[in-house]
Amino acid sequence: MADFESDYTKFMREWKQKHPEQAEEARKGRALWWDKPPRDLDTQRREQEAKVATKSYYYDAN
């Protein structure tokens, strides 16, 4: 059973071999959307102090 490989896995392996430039594009996309630079401690402290407590019932007007 360890030799099984799905059609999708085969397709992606072949596609990556035919389009090696896409690996760099994927890294750029990840950096754009997910990888954030570390913030300094002062910025973290100011963000923490600026937080407003959320009400237990969000739609309550009072």
Side-chain angles (χ1 to χ4, degrees):
M1 193 73 177
D3 296 329
F4 175 76
E5 185 174 61
S6 71
D7 292 337
Y8 178 76
T9 302
K10 290 176 188 176
F11 168 78
M12 288 305 298
R13 181 177 295 117
E14 291 171 8
W15 190 82
K16 286 180 178 182
Q17 287 175 348
K18 292 177 184 176
H19 301 91
E21 71 281 357
Q22 289 300 313
E24 180 60 29
E25 287 296 316
R27 280 191 288 278
K28 287 179 184 176
R30 178 186 167 99
L32 178 67
W33 291 103
W34 297 104
D35 297 338
K36 303 297 180 194
R39 297 179 313 227
D40 62 11
L41 293 176
D42 186 48
T43 302
Q44 290 179 8
R45 181 188 52 77
R46 286 186 286 119
E47 288 175 354
Q48 187 67 28
E49 290 173 355
K51 281 188 178 180
V52 177
T54 305
K55 295 180 181 180
S56 58
Y57 183 67
Y58 186 78
Y59 298 103
D60 187 10
N62 297 325

